[in-house]
Each structure stands twice: as structure tokens, then as C-alpha cells.
Amino acid sequence: MKTRALSIDALRGFAIIAMILSGQMILTYLPAWMAHAQVPPNSSFNPNIYGITWVDLVFPFFLFSMGAAFPFSLGSKLENGINKWSLCLDSFYRGIQLVFFAIFFMHMKPFVISSPVDIKACIISLSSFALMFGMFATDSFSRYFKKPKISSYIKFAAFALGFTLMLLTNYQGKDNHNFDIYYSDIILVVLANMAFLASLIYIFTFKKPIYRLLVLPFIMAVFLASTNEGWVKQLYDFTPFAWAYKFYYLKYFFIVIPGTIAGEYVKEWTVATQNEVRENDKKAIVASLISLAIIVGNVYFLFVRELEINVVVTLGLLVLIYFVLKPNASEFGVFWKNLFSAGGYCLMLGLFLEAYEGGIRKDSSTYSYYFVTSGLAFFAILFFSVVCDYFKCIRATKFLILTGQNPMIAYVATSLVIMPILTLFTITEYFDVFNENAFTGFLRGLLLTMFAILITIFFSKKKWFWRT
């Protein structure tokens, strides 16, 4: 059995890199398709704009890859006989750590600590980045310690020091100058909820994917019924800790749970594959290109609102890839056909739901959005499987794989490392040059993203991974 499923790492790496890029570009002169569809450049949020852009695929692709990793992380432990309740407790701890990560990261950004950013804020941000190695990388460092308990002591001390740092810091860059438990990174809070609650669902539906999928109609029922008074609305509104959990976050089960199905397909392939024989390179290339065309085509046609054309083109591409994959009975062929079947189903379900709630939209997200992006994520896994696992284009995709293996570092590197360093060297004083035109606006995002990738790759090669 292979040690890593490179297609999952590559998808996660693509998602986190695209997330960084989309957040660091200057959008002033860039076209609307370079931003979230509902937040065009130089405009405020408009929920009446329908459609998606490539930016709107970033978060669901990351969530999907998170679910796809469950069969390897949780599934392997269950296969080894580890107690389910013990795994539930581990998942709870993981969720708590991610919530802390969301709060700590948000408070340690230099522009939150000081406005304008000063040397003190930069030093605090850089120190917080170093401190997070004690919080999240102790498993990577455990090989250096003779006594296993030492890593636990370091982890506890790092969290205690981080919490103290948040309490003592005077925040000049936000309205409330004191520590605020509600001031957090919403993306990380959502991931924390998925890391815990979606893990519970996976643990108790292990090897029973149908039961796992049956959870989704009940989640949908709560969302639909919560608009009326009654116990369902009370369930929807209930939260013991609003800063850490809201039922509203569970809408992303519609992406994470299909991701677990994809992960099981990947794992089944790694077990079944004995001899990696490449039987038909041409058909593999065609399948990967069709998968990419399905992704690009849906983003384009949904963005320009050519809905009828999109359905026709998508159906045509699905039929074409079906006939390309049908005769392939190899381990790769079976694996790709599974991804195609699940992806095609989710995608077409999402397109049939497109008109519901006005049209596909990320914010506030629609059911069409969940199923379309899940379907496209299946085809993204298929594409990366051909590139990374079949043709083994490791050199060309290594930056994706290494970044995908260390996403927590990649996520914070720009805010907590790159920008503080550039500020300390007064380089940010010349950043106005990036506001001149569309090219320089994109160039800013590209440069900062490249720096974040290099930092992440450095620590991945060192095998210093942040884990919760």
C-alpha cells in the first residue's frame, strides 16, 4: 500500500495556494472573474449576483480534500482496532485546537496589533509564528526527545504562553483593543467544526457510506424547517458557545461528506494496486483533459449565466469521458470510473438545483453550490490522479504536494512571516506600485504567494508539520 495519496495532497495544495493568491491580489483593476462572484472588484457584497468564479472553488476544494483524508487518518486507526470513543475524543481535541488556532491567528496579525504596523507588532507576529511550532509541531519534534512526555509539556506550555500573549496584548488595529474570543478567522472555525463533527459521522459510519450520506437529508431538513417556529428552529439556533459552533456551519457537510467517499475510492485504489501498469496513456490524458474541461467549463458558463449551454456541454463531456473510461478494467480504470460516477452525479444534481434560491452562489451559499463544487472536486481528484499517480509528474507538482502536506503553515505564512519581514525592512513602503494596473495588482498576489509556498516547502522538507 502506498504511503501517501498524492492526488489528495495535490488538490489540498492547489486549494491553499489559490486561497493565498486570491487573498493577496490587488483587485482594483482586475476583471470580475478574478474575485468572488458576489464581491466584484471595487464593489461591496451583492447577494443578487449569481454564478461562481475560480475563487469560489478554493474553500470547497479544501473542505473536500479534508474529507478525503478521513479514510487515511481515521479509517486506518479504525482498521487497527482503536476504540471509536477514543477517536471521538481525539477529534474533539482537534476541533478545540483549530478553534484556538483561528482565534490566535486572527489576534496575532500585525495590522490587528498595531495601526499603522510598527516594529513591535512585527516582532509579536513573528514570535507567534515560532510559538505555533510548539503548539502544532510537537509530533514532528518527538523524534528528538528521549522522553515522549516532553513533547506534551512543550505543547501545553506553548498554548498557555499563546493564550497569555493574547490576553496581554493591546490591539490598536481593531475596535475592541482587548482580547475578544469572538474575533477569529471564520474559515478556520468552520474547519474546526468539520474536523470534529464530520469526524464523528465518519467514525460511526465507517465502511457504511450509505448511512453517512443519509445524514445529509436531515441536515437539509433542519435548514429548510428552521425558517418556521418550532423545535427544529430551536435546534438550529442552539449554540452553547457561539464563538466556536453554529448549526449554520454544518451546511459544509454537503462538501466534506462527499469528500470522504472520494477518499475511500482513493484508499481502495492504493490497496488494490499491486503492479502499477500504464495500459493506455492516451486515454488517461484524454480523461484528465476532459475532467479539466468540465471544471473550467462549469465555472465559465455559470459565471456568464449561460445555463442551458452549460448543461448541454457538461452532459456532452460526461458522456465522452464515460466512453473513454468504460473499457479500462485496470486498477486505475476502476478508480477513475468511481470518481467519474460520483462526480457526475453530484455535478448534475447541483445543476438541476441551480435555479433554486435564485441561482448558484457562494454567499450566502446555495444547495447548487455545494453539489456543483463537490462534483467538480471529484473531477479535480481524477485530474491530479492522472498527473501525479499515473504519469508520476512529481517534479512539476511537488510544490502542490509539499504545500498540501503542510496547509496550516501555508495559511498563516503571509500574515505572520512575510508581511512582518517586509515591513521590518521597509519594503512595504513601496507597495503603492502594485496599485497601478491589473498586471501589478496580480503580480503582488503572485509574489506573496510564491514566498508563502517557499516557506511551506522549506518546513515540509524538514518534516516539520503542523498538525492538530
Side-chain angles (χ1 to χ4, degrees), residues 93-236:
Y93 288 146
R94 186 187 180 201
I96 291 296
Q97 288 181 66
L98 277 172
V99 171
F100 182 91
F101 182 47
I103 298 170
F104 186 70
F105 169 54
M106 202 67 176
H107 281 77
M108 292 297 104
K109 291 182 178 180
F111 60 83
V112 173
I113 298 171
S114 176
S115 181
V117 176
D118 56 19
I119 294 177
K120 178 183 176 182
C122 293
I123 292 175
I124 292 176
S125 293
L126 289 168
S127 300
S128 67
F129 178 77
L131 186 60
M132 280 193 275
F133 280 90
M135 298 177 189
F136 305 114
T138 50
D139 289 343
S140 298
F141 296 150
S142 59
R143 62 182 182 275
Y144 300 121
F145 305 134
K146 294 182 179 179
K147 296 181 179 179
K149 287 186 177 181
I150 293 179
S151 61
S152 299
Y153 296 148
I154 292 175
K155 192 180 189 75
F156 178 80
F159 273 104
L161 187 57
F163 186 68
T164 303
L165 180 61
M166 284 193 294
L167 289 178
L168 296 180
T169 301
N170 183 23
Y171 303 96
Q172 298 299 316
K174 65 187 185 77
D175 295 335
N176 181 358
H177 296 337
N178 299 317
F179 167 73
D180 182 3
I181 199 169
Y182 288 91
Y183 191 73
S184 60
D185 186 300
I186 185 61
I187 291 177
L188 294 175
V189 173
V190 170
L191 291 175
N193 279 260
M194 294 300 99
F196 173 47
L197 297 172
S199 292
L200 295 187
I201 293 174
Y202 183 82
I203 290 167
F204 289 103
T205 60
F206 178 58
K207 292 187 176 180
K208 299 174 182 177
I210 298 299
Y211 291 173
R212 196 178 315 143
L213 293 173
L214 289 176
V215 172
L216 297 181
F218 285 93
I219 300 297
M220 181 183 290
V222 172
F223 275 97
L224 295 177
S226 64
T227 56
N228 300 304
E229 293 298 329
W231 67 269
V232 176
K233 179 174 173 53
Q234 293 175 355
L235 172 64
Y236 179 84

Side-chain angles (χ1 to χ4, degrees), residues 419-437:
M419 294 307 295
I421 290 176
L422 294 179
T423 301
L424 289 173
F425 285 96
T426 68
I427 296 174
T428 53
E429 295 179 6
Y430 304 98
F431 267 30
D432 288 343
V433 70
F434 293 118
N435 298 324
E436 293 181 355
N437 52 56

Side-chain angles (χ1 to χ4, degrees), residues 52 293-303 310 314 347 351 376:
I52 56 174
I294 289 172
I295 297 170
V296 174
N298 272 272
V299 171
Y300 173 74
F301 287 121
L302 289 172
F303 177 71
N310 185 50
T314 299
L347 178 56
L351 294 181
L376 297 181

